[in-house]
Amino acid sequence: MKNILYKSLEESGKILKSYMDKDFAVESKDIVSNLVTEVDKRSEANIIDIIKSEYPSHNILSEEIGAINKDSDVKWIIDPIDGTINYAHGIPICCISIGIEKAGEIVMGGIFNPFSGELFFAEKGKGSYLNDKPIHVSEESVLDKSLLVTGFPYSTGNNPNKPVEVFAAFVNRDIPIRRLGSAALDICWTACGRFDGFWEYNLNAWDVAAGYLILTEAGGKVTDFEGKKYSVYNKEILATNGRIHNIMLDVIKGVKK
Ligand code: IPD
Ligand code: CA
Ligand code: CA
């Protein structure tokens, strides 16, 4: 499956690059700020065609078209552009993310930013790689020396203040925090040690499926905001180098009370 994963990422990478400086259609989805572009749809169609030509019986879960259920134990979980708002504004911080779930476990994942040329890849039990070189999480164990990253949901829904309150709790400790606008890249950049920890509310399986495996295979730790076992179908994610995990958890739980 690795060759099909790579082919999908690389071919969609060409699509993202070829449309970047051109006019393309942009629409709002459920709320006005949640965008989908013509390029998301082209990237998605490309990936699905490639997967179907080799594995017609596999299940697919993809952000823009939803689920294609074939009763297989393999599911390809696809985000055709993660960081669509960046892409729509000409900001080259975005990627294509594809995770493969087998019998309920993520077994392979790849994330490609065609603008930086960085391709992150992991296979269960075989480590994580950035452009074929092994990567590892950072060794930072002091929260106050850490560099963190987060994102904010398009809609804060029933919980309007919580993401901002948690953000404020870290900011008020004078901890530097970045906001890249692509959850998949946030996780990859934590996996390769650029960031020490990442948290976000309200993500979907396509945002995190590949990144979850890339981070854990790089030695990192992922839980929900209670510190419990994580599933890519969870809405909340705390993904760290492992060393600062419980300290970040305490800050988040402190706000939750
Ligand atoms: C979004 C990005 C962003 C995160 C949003 C996601 P999209 O994905 O990952 O960083 O903050 O919650 O929905 O819409 O660009 O695929
Ligand atoms: Ca996404
Ligand atoms: Ca997307």
Side-chain angles (χ1 to χ4, degrees), residues 29 35 40 63-64 78-84 154 206-207:
K29 296 203 277 188
L35 304 180
D40 292 79
E63 180 173 10
E64 311 305 341
I78 302 162
D79 196 335
I81 302 182
D82 185 61
T84 292
Y154 290 120
W206 46 80
D207 300 309

Side-chain angles (χ1 to χ4, degrees), residues 69-187:
N69 202 338
K70 301 269 185 176
D71 241 4
S72 166
D73 72 338
V74 180
K75 189 198 286 176
W76 295 70
I77 305 176
I78 302 162
D79 196 335
I81 302 182
D82 185 61
T84 292
I85 292 192
N86 283 348
Y87 187 82
H89 288 261
I91 299 170
I93 304 176
C94 53
C95 60
I96 302 126
S97 173
I98 305 176
I100 305 176
E101 184 187 87
K102 187 155 197 260
E105 242 193 347
I106 306 296
V107 293
M108 200 179 280
I111 292 177
F112 181 43
N113 176 351
F115 302 101
S116 66
E118 290 190 331
L119 196 156
F120 294 85
F121 173 79
E123 191 171 349
K124 191 154 177 61
K126 296 190 177 171
S128 279
Y129 298 84
L130 165 51
N131 294 346
D132 298 326
K133 293 202 181 93
I135 53 169
H136 302 282
V137 290
S138 73
E139 295 194 355
E140 186 56 66
S141 59
V142 178
L143 180 61
D144 297 300
K145 292 187 188 166
S146 296
L147 178 60
L148 305 181
V149 63
T150 190
F152 296 93
Y154 290 120
S155 164
T156 47
N158 301 331
N159 224 347
N161 297 322
K162 210 53 82 181
V164 176
E165 285 170 12
V166 171
F167 182 69
F170 286 112
V171 168
N172 288 335
R173 283 186 62 149
D174 300 336
I175 296 166
I177 304 175
R178 301 291 178 262
R179 198 278 197 247
L180 299 184
S182 160
L185 290 178
D186 294 338
I187 303 172

